[in-house]
Amino acid sequence: MLKLTLRSEFQGQRLKGTMIELTNGSHTGAIETSAASFLEITYPSVDLIKCIEGIAPGQGKPIVLMGGRGQGKSHIIAAGHHVLASPDAAKNWLDQWAQHLGNAHFSQIPLRTGFRVITEQLHNQRYATLWDMLFDRTPKGAYFRGKFEQAGTSVPSRELILELLAEEPLALLLDEYQTWFDGLPNSKQQPRRTWAFNFIQVLSEIASEHPDRLLLVASVRDGSTDAYQQIHRLNPRIIDFSDPLTKRDRHRLLLHRIFTNRRQIDPKEIADITAPHFSEYLRLKEVSGSEVVQHQERFHECWPFSPQLLDLLDDQVLMAAQAQETRDLIRLLVETFKCAGERAPVLTAADFRIDTDQSAAPTLLNAVASELHRRVQEKARRNLDNVLSTNRPEDIPHAAEIISALWLRSFNTERLAGATY
């Protein structure tokens, strides 16, 4: 389809997982690759730009990334790492996107330099305490560990940490902080959660009062547990991934993440290939006047997928399935493109075919892992068989596509009959 090319990790027979690993045993994790290569697959989303602005010079608040699993927090943590560790590469990346999107603000964001960057995916459980991480990964950590042990306190003091930071300023990026915190024991013999609760307060206060010495970024799923409360006390900068205003931005991010050359496709070619579909959409929706341009921009922006498919997957299917949002959405869109991208000018709900395994339907069912939705699929298949057995195929040439589209719309938390487009 107009020579769209999937990124290399999506081209194999078996789709690789899209979960971001910051580090791994083969040293190919997100923060172990070069800054240029990681930023090349990174779209400057609203959330990411907020984070980059938050770690810029002169800012004095901890940053909390808040959102469910699979919404892209780890990707932003990794991007933040590269922005801090490789500011030259980050500046080039921002300049390129400033030119492409016509947004001069990207080029004007100042970047912080001179910080040692410590980035850790805490759910890997490599550290029992946060201060172990600081002592292990700073040049004079052994010295400060000795001072802490000699003091005999349960948690390193504020003064000790400030002394450590006077040697070299630190940027501390903590991914999966809530998962790690909630899993800590808190017995009388091992009150590790209480220690962590007290120590994150020390770090939050220092990050707020001495941003020239400490930057603190942490990701959490929600604000309901003690993992977040101590940081929240000091009015952090919160980047909330549930903000509905970021949905359209996320769709742009998805296309950039999936395809290597989506930005290089001529808009006129996209307009030509989508024209029949778009014309029929306008007729059925009775869109006219000034609204046409707005709808046309959305169609071009979402291609090769229809805007209705992206909205359907976002608002109904993945919500009903309690899936991992952006992560599962990438998998579904990649499989849809691999199965139907060569024959369909615009990919829609009809391309989740229930009459063949050559569709993204099995991937969706595997992501959902719900017996209820599997039974609904079987009912949809029986309905299709009944329609085809009681009618001539030439009279209903698109029966499979129609029933497949209705089946996909059955992934809903509400009982909605039929479809509106």
Side-chain angles (χ1 to χ4, degrees):
M1 187 189 295
L2 294 186
K3 298 182 179 179
L4 268 179
T5 305
L6 291 169
R7 294 195 182 275
S8 58
E9 63 264 40
F10 302 135
Q11 291 182 10
Q13 289 282 343
R14 183 173 179 177
L15 181 61
K16 296 179 181 179
T18 57
M19 182 169 59
I20 289 288
E21 291 182 299
L22 298 184
T23 59
N24 58 38
S26 58
H27 302 290
T28 57
I31 66 172
E32 295 170 314
T33 60
S34 71
S37 62
F38 183 80
L39 292 174
E40 196 277 326
I41 67 168
T42 300
Y43 179 83
S45 66
V46 171
D47 296 325
L48 176 53
I49 294 299
K50 286 180 182 177
C51 183
I52 295 174
E53 291 171 337
I55 60 179
Q59 301 301 312
K61 290 183 177 183
I63 297 173
V64 176
L65 309 178
M66 184 181 295
R69 295 184 186 278
Q71 288 190 321
K73 300 187 301 299
S74 296
H75 195 108
I76 289 186
I77 289 280
H81 171 96
H82 287 300
V83 167
L84 290 164
S86 304
D88 290 341
K91 182 67 168 63
N92 290 336
W93 173 76
L94 286 168
D95 287 345
Q96 290 171 8
W97 278 105
Q99 182 177 7
H100 174 69
L101 297 177
N103 190 336
H105 171 66
F106 290 175
S107 290
Q108 297 165 1
I109 301 173
L111 301 181
R112 195 182 294 260
T113 59
F115 274 58
R116 174 178 291 272
V117 186
I118 298 177
T119 304
E120 181 66 22
Q121 213 153 20
L122 289 174
H123 74 281
N124 290 333
Q125 303 294 337
R126 292 201 300 169
Y127 296 99
T129 68
L130 294 181
W131 57 86
D132 281 337
M133 181 168 57
L134 296 185
F135 295 151
D136 283 354
R137 295 168 68 173
T138 52
K140 296 186 66 174
Y143 167 76
F144 288 104
R145 185 193 299 276
K147 289 192 70 171
F148 164 57
E149 292 174 350
Q150 188 176 24
T153 58
S154 57
V155 174
S157 68
R158 172 191 171 97
E159 291 71 23
L160 181 68
I161 299 302
L162 280 171
E163 187 180 349
L164 180 149
L165 295 171
E167 297 289 330
E168 184 179 28
L170 290 180
L172 194 58
L173 284 66
L174 307 177
D175 194 24
E176 297 285 358
Y177 171 66
Q178 182 176 347
T179 302
W180 172 80
F181 182 93
D182 290 348
L184 293 175
N186 208 35
S187 63
K188 287 184 177 180
Q189 294 76 22
Q190 279 276 46
R192 281 170 47 193
R193 191 183 303 177
T194 299
W195 294 342
F197 186 79
N198 293 336
F199 190 62
I200 201 66
Q201 179 178 354
V202 170
L203 295 178
S204 299
E205 290 176 353
I206 294 174
S208 297
E209 298 169 16
H210 302 277
D212 57 324
R213 296 195 193 183
L214 179 65
L215 291 173
L216 178 63
V217 181
S219 73
V220 300
R221 294 190 303 278
D222 55 59
S224 63
T225 73
D226 288 342
Y228 168 71
Q229 293 306 316
Q230 284 293 58
I231 305 176
H232 179 68
R233 289 177 62 251
L234 296 170
N235 190 28
R237 178 188 289 253
I238 300 173
I239 300 174
D240 190 346
F241 285 61
S242 64
D243 186 344
L245 296 177
T246 65
K247 182 174 76 170
R248 187 167 177 176
D249 190 62
R250 185 165 67 251
H251 291 166
R252 299 189 190 105
L253 178 155
L254 289 168
L255 293 176
H256 180 72
R257 181 68 184 88
I258 292 171
F259 301 106
T260 63
N261 62 336
R262 175 60 179 76
R263 287 190 292 143
Q264 283 73 51
I265 304 297
D266 187 342
K268 185 180 183 306
E269 291 187 273
I270 296 176
D272 290 342
I273 198 172
T274 59
H277 185 105
F278 181 63
S279 175
E280 190 65 7
Y281 169 81
L282 294 179
R283 184 184 70 82
L284 293 172
K285 294 287 287 183
E286 298 181 346
V287 177
S288 61
S290 61
E291 293 183 0
V292 172
V293 174
Q294 178 183 347
H295 285 272
Q296 189 172 44
E297 288 177 353
R298 186 88 204 285
F299 260 79
H300 293 175
E301 192 175 85
C302 295
W303 183 84
F305 309 101
S306 74
Q308 293 73 42
L309 174 61
L310 294 183
D311 290 342
L312 177 65
L313 292 173
D314 241 344
D315 299 337
Q316 294 180 203
V317 175
L318 295 183
M319 183 182 295
Q322 295 183 339
Q324 297 191 36
E325 302 222 7
T326 302
R327 189 180 302 162
D328 283 318
L329 189 51
I330 289 174
R331 295 176 65 240
L332 291 174
L333 295 178
V334 168
E335 288 293 351
T336 305
F337 180 80
K338 290 171 73 172
C339 294
E342 290 300 318
R343 59 177 172 78
V346 181
L347 296 166
T348 70
D351 293 300
F352 280 75
R353 296 281 291 271
I354 61 170
D355 60 327
T356 172
D357 287 337
Q358 299 302 310
S359 81
T363 301
L364 173 59
L365 288 173
N366 289 336
V368 173
S370 165
E371 186 59 34
L372 171 62
H373 290 104
R374 295 181 191 280
R375 289 200 303 270
V376 173
Q377 187 194 40
E378 288 304 315
K379 290 180 180 179
R381 281 177 170 166
R382 288 199 299 271
N383 287 340
L384 177 60
D385 291 341
N386 290 335
V387 169
L388 294 176
S389 64
T390 55
N391 296 272
R392 295 186 306 169
E394 59 269 25
D395 292 337
I396 44 172
H398 300 295
E401 289 92 335
I402 293 169
I403 292 181
S404 296
L406 288 171
W407 167 74
L408 187 64
R409 286 177 169 84
S410 70
F411 284 75
N412 201 306
T413 53
E414 301 178 12
R415 297 181 67 85
L416 301 177
T420 57
Y421 43 74

